[in-house]
Amino acid sequence: MQYHATSPEDYISQVPEERQDTLKKLRKVVNDNLPKGFEEGIIYKMIGYYVPHSVYPNGYHCDPKTPLPFMSFASQKNSVNLYHSGIYAKKELHDWFVNEYPKHCKRKLDMGKSCIRFKKMDDIPFDLIGELTRKMTCKQWIDIYESAIKK
């Protein structure tokens, strides 16, 4: 589902009431663990975390007016989805997450290239998400991104 929100608080207020506490907790976990340099806001109609133009003036190569995206989350029809560009771009981070996930959750990992889907709100591994959020600095993300776009 798409929400037309102007702030993370506005986004959370628009999702179904039974998901609001989960999204508030997810947002708190990410914000409490987000490395310096990233900012929070609405990006691609989701709550997103990105490298602002003040840190990386070039912005996202597909649309330089957009700050460089890093991670985000959204409430979809059947799940809450967490998107993490670092998992897609850095194999070691992907492999670490896949190996750690079963230690934190009984359900099978439902994951795409950068998308982790949580169909049961009680099964979201908040501690693991906090650790994932801390794993990549803003500088590391910029370096990975720049090396990828130069190829």
Side-chain angles (χ1 to χ4, degrees):
M1 301 187 73
Q2 287 190 353
Y3 300 95
H4 299 282
T6 57
S7 68
E9 296 84 3
D10 186 28
Y11 184 96
I12 291 171
S13 75
Q14 292 181 39
V15 302
E17 192 172 332
E18 63 272 10
R19 288 201 182 168
Q20 289 181 8
D21 285 343
T22 299
L23 292 187
K24 286 176 187 174
K25 185 173 181 180
L26 184 56
R27 180 178 179 221
K28 180 170 178 20
V29 165
V30 172
N31 280 320
D32 286 352
N33 290 282
L34 193 65
K36 185 179 177 185
F38 292 108
E39 284 186 5
E40 177 192 53
I42 297 295
I43 190 165
Y44 301 114
K45 299 184 180 180
M46 297 180 277
I47 296 175
Y49 302 88
Y50 48 83
V51 183
H53 285 106
S54 61
V55 174
Y56 189 70
N58 294 347
Y60 186 43
H61 73 280
C62 294
D63 178 5
K65 290 182 227 150
T66 301
L68 179 60
F70 176 59
M71 64 185 291
S72 58
F73 62 88
S75 178
Q76 302 295 343
K77 182 178 180 183
N78 296 314
S79 61
V80 167
N81 296 352
L82 176 72
Y83 303 88
H84 192 288
S85 297
I87 283 181
Y88 176 72
K90 188 174 180 187
K91 183 180 178 349
E92 298 85 0
L93 186 59
H94 172 274
D95 293 348
W96 169 84
F97 185 83
V98 169
N99 289 327
E100 287 296 312
Y101 185 84
K103 299 174 188 175
H104 296 266
C105 190
K106 295 175 187 134
R107 296 197 187 276
K108 181 181 174 202
L109 178 59
D110 184 358
M111 185 172 169
K113 290 182 179 183
S114 70
C115 174
I116 307 157
R117 291 173 285 277
F118 301 104
K119 292 182 179 159
K120 302 284 186 194
M121 301 304 103
D122 293 340
D123 287 339
I124 297 176
F126 293 104
D127 290 343
L128 181 60
I129 291 168
E131 196 171 344
L132 173 65
T133 303
R134 290 191 303 271
K135 287 270 184 196
M136 188 172 289
T137 66
C138 190
K139 168 106 172 67
Q140 288 170 323
W141 174 234
I142 291 168
D143 290 347
I144 289 168
Y145 172 76
E146 286 185 336
S147 69
I149 62 171
K150 288 179 183 176
K151 290 181 180 181

